Amino acid sequence: MRVGIVGFASSGKTTLFNTLTGLDADTGFGRKDKVNTGVIDVPDERLDKIAEIINPRRIVYAKITFTDVPGGSSGGNALDAQMLQEIRNVEALAHVVRAFQSPLVAGAPDPLKEIRDFQDELKIADQIIIERRIERLAREKGNELEKALLPRLLEHLESGHPLRTLDLNEQDLNLISGYRFISLKPIIIVINVAEDAVTSDETNALIQKVQQELGITPFAISAALEAEIAQLEPEEQEAFLSDLGITDTARDRFVQSAYASLDLISYITQGVEEVRAWTIKRDTHAKRAARAIHSDLERGFIRAEVIPFDAFMHYRSEQACKDAGKARVEGKDYIVQDGDILHIRANV
Ligand SMILES: Nc1nc2c(ncn2[C@@H]2O[C@H](COP(=O)(O)OP(=O)(O)OP(=O)(O)O)[C@@H](O)[C@H]2O)c(=O)[nH]1
Ligand SMILES: [Mg+2]
């Protein structure tokens, strides 16, 4: 999955990027023009446990590619054409909001305003595209379905709502997929707080407020502190975190929070060659889920053979699961569950 780290200047995007990827991109003032990219494995104990049993040649974790997209200041044209292009290319957004006092920015932080302003940026960018398209469609022959749909999108944006809160069916989504609207993308809000404020009352109040206003549960972190911790050796990291009363690294917490708020799950494929996780949206049916592996598998989908993870752990082999009646054969409409071990049969 590709996640764009977005937000206004000096909110701590690159600091968060470094924390998550373990890389060392330049932070601080005047580093606005560079887009950073890094890939991480999504930790998944289930893969390790299956591998212990079947000893595959390799384990392939799901991956998240982070793109750190610089942004301008709130109030101006924060996102130029190149930045918008970068954002269109990702599948989900992590919006970093500054809630710490910064020597680089005058005045006290105002995270709620920053959230509202950035949400507006996303909506306006989409609105401009839609308005232009509607104008052109008025002059040209075009798809009638699209002609009917676009004004609905525009109205939703004009009344102040991002496209992701509009009820769109699969046909609608297919019609507009080429536009890669940015207010349609699922979003995580990362509130970057001062080192001593991760669990403060003020932070908790802010989290609640954002939850009420946007229906999104934000994730609070002190990126600068976590970036320092991420530079330590693994054993030191653990000791340091447990001193702070934190059990997981920022990366682990971020990934968990991202999967929960983007409503993602993983299914697993296994064999002597590899044990591997594939990320999909919750409530995806088996045929569509096959696309994560290859679009040919979706096109030629015949059936899915399913073993729940817990059954595999209990019976410890595919054959034993079958003998115990724990392996099922499912059709294209089966809703894939988190941790399902699948064999997808297809005509390819
Ligand atoms: N005190 C404190 N400083 C932070 C924190 N996170 C980032 N900073 C500092 O804020 C400054 C800006 O951080 P960056 O990560 O470069 O911000 P950015 O969002 O990438 O900024 P641009 O790329 O210019 O848009 C750096 O000096 C960081 O060290 C934090 O949690 N607490
Ligand atoms: Mg930066």
Side-chain angles (χ1 to χ4, degrees):
M1 189 181 47
R2 282 165 296 146
V3 175
I5 301 178
V6 298
F8 292 122
S10 302
S11 54
K13 297 180 296 295
T14 306
T15 308
L16 178 70
F17 172 84
N18 287 341
T19 307
L20 296 173
T21 59
L23 296 172
D24 194 17
D26 289 335
T27 59
F29 198 60
R31 304 287 179 186
K32 299 196 187 319
D33 48 348
K34 195 165 166 289
V35 173
N36 301 302
T37 303
V39 185
I40 65 163
D41 281 340
V42 174
D44 191 339
E45 275 188 343
R46 295 171 301 193
L47 300 191
D48 307 315
K49 288 184 174 157
I50 295 170
E52 270 171 31
I53 297 175
I54 67 171
N55 241 321
R57 241 171 242 136
R58 59 175 182 271
I59 302 177
V60 185
Y61 298 94
K63 293 198 172 13
I64 299 180
T65 303
F66 291 105
T67 309
D68 166 25
V69 186
S73 311
S74 161
N77 247 348
L79 298 168
D80 64 24
Q82 192 210 333
M83 299 317 156
L84 285 171
Q85 199 53 33
E86 295 288 345
I87 299 177
R88 290 199 182 99
N89 283 335
V90 300
E91 290 154 286
L93 306 178
H95 173 202
V96 181
V97 182
R98 184 174 67 88
F100 61 92
Q101 187 75 48
S102 168
L104 301 178
V105 191
D110 189 347
L112 208 52
K113 177 175 184 320
E114 211 171 293
I115 292 172
R116 290 179 184 136
D117 286 353
F118 196 77
Q119 293 288 325
D120 286 346
E121 294 274 345
L122 300 178
K123 288 179 272 184
I124 290 165
D126 287 348
Q127 197 170 328
I128 291 170
I129 293 178
I130 295 174
E131 281 166 351
R132 281 197 199 130
R133 181 70 185 151
I134 289 176
E135 265 174 44
R136 280 193 54 183
L137 281 175
R139 287 182 268 120
E140 292 170 12
K141 259 179 65 165
N143 183 323
E144 290 303 320
L145 288 169
E146 190 188 339
K147 270 189 182 171
L149 178 60
L150 290 182
R152 221 182 113 207
L153 304 188
L154 186 59
E155 195 183 316
H156 190 73
L157 288 166
E158 281 172 345
S159 60
H161 303 292
L163 294 178
R164 65 174 175 277
T165 62
L166 185 63
D167 193 15
L168 296 166
N169 63 30
E170 212 169 316
Q171 187 191 35
D172 298 335
L173 290 171
N174 284 335
L175 269 174
I176 60 173
S177 68
Y179 295 110
R180 295 174 298 158
F181 290 127
I182 57 180
S183 78
L184 186 61
K185 295 183 193 294
I187 192 164
I188 311 161
I189 293 183
V190 181
I191 300 181
N192 190 10
V193 298
E195 287 75 346
D196 56 0
V198 181
T199 55
S200 71
D201 291 346
E202 206 183 333
T203 301
N204 288 332
L206 179 62
I207 289 175
Q208 282 198 357
K209 188 93 187 61
V210 176
Q211 164 72 47
Q212 276 166 11
E213 200 169 305
L214 282 97
I216 300 171
T217 307
F219 175 74
I221 188 176
S222 175
L225 176 68
E226 299 280 359
E228 278 173 34
I229 297 172
Q231 300 291 325
L232 302 172
E233 296 299 320
E235 309 84 62
E236 283 179 300
Q237 283 191 29
E238 238 169 72
F240 202 104
L241 286 168
S242 73
D243 277 353
L244 293 169
I246 302 172
T247 48
D248 293 321
T249 62
R251 179 193 293 188
D252 289 355
R253 279 180 286 138
F254 180 90
V255 169
Q256 281 160 18
S257 161
Y259 269 62
S261 50
L262 303 177
D263 220 7
L264 299 173
I265 60 169
S266 297
Y267 69 87
I268 300 165
T269 54
Q270 57 83 26
V272 283
E273 201 55 42
E274 65 180 26
V275 171
R276 182 162 184 164
W278 306 90
T279 303
I280 53 171
K281 283 285 281 182
R282 189 182 298 283
D283 294 331
T284 300
H285 56 71
K287 183 167 189 275
R288 176 70 175 80
R291 193 193 296 179
I293 302 176
H294 202 285
S295 54
D296 287 350
L297 285 186
E298 181 186 13
R299 224 171 290 127
F301 183 92
I302 300 169
R303 63 174 188 273
E305 295 167 14
V306 185
I307 299 176
F309 173 76
D310 290 338
F312 196 88
M313 283 300 110
H314 186 79
Y315 294 99
R316 303 181 76 79
S317 82
E318 209 177 310
Q319 192 53 50
C321 287
K322 283 182 181 160
D323 294 344
K326 296 294 176 191
R328 304 190 314 268
V329 174
E330 300 280 3
K332 62 179 172 39
D333 294 327
Y334 170 68
I335 301 293
V336 176
Q337 304 295 311
D338 193 24
D340 272 355
I341 299 171
L342 298 187
H343 273 305
I344 291 165
R345 303 296 178 193
N347 253 326
V348 288

